[in-house]
Amino acid sequence: MSDVLTRPQEGETVGGIAADRLRSIIERVERLEEERKAIAGDIKEIFSEAKGAGFDVRTIKAILKLRRLEPAQVEEAETLLDIYKRALGM
């Protein structure tokens, strides 16, 4: 049973898996997840700053979403929004 719990030596393969490679992948993902948390905190601060300056955060987020799209996609989304609003009498 102790064989199952021992840490593999460098370069060792366990159950057909290169333990060092697997560890490296997992550790890289963990580092990136930490960076993502830090970046999310920075973004939250920027939105707080925008709100404090009198900007509407929901509108800023909508603009950011539109800026990620291709111009044709933006036009299509705006056209559909207009059609749906007219259909609802807005």
Side-chain angles (χ1 to χ4, degrees):
M1 187 63 132
S2 63
D3 290 338
V4 175
L5 300 177
T6 59
R7 185 175 176 147
Q9 298 298 315
E10 188 172 330
E12 187 175 349
T13 301
V14 178
I17 297 173
D20 288 340
R21 179 77 172 137
L22 177 60
R23 185 177 302 105
S24 170
I25 289 169
I26 290 172
E27 289 171 352
R28 287 171 34 214
V29 170
E30 288 172 338
R31 279 192 302 274
L32 289 172
E33 286 175 344
E34 287 300 316
E35 288 178 29
R36 180 174 29 193
K37 286 180 190 175
I39 290 169
D42 293 345
I43 291 170
K44 185 177 179 180
E45 287 178 23
I46 292 169
F47 283 131
S48 293
E49 177 185 334
K51 186 175 181 178
F55 293 105
D56 182 73
V57 172
R58 186 172 52 187
T59 303
I60 290 173
K61 289 180 179 183
I63 290 170
L64 290 168
K65 183 178 177 182
L66 288 173
R67 288 172 56 105
R68 286 191 289 267
L69 300 174
E70 295 295 322
Q73 293 173 309
V74 172
E75 185 177 341
E76 180 183 0
E78 290 175 345
T79 300
L80 285 173
L81 179 61
D82 185 53
I83 291 170
Y84 291 1
K85 285 171 45 179
R86 283 189 283 135
L88 296 171
M90 298 174 70

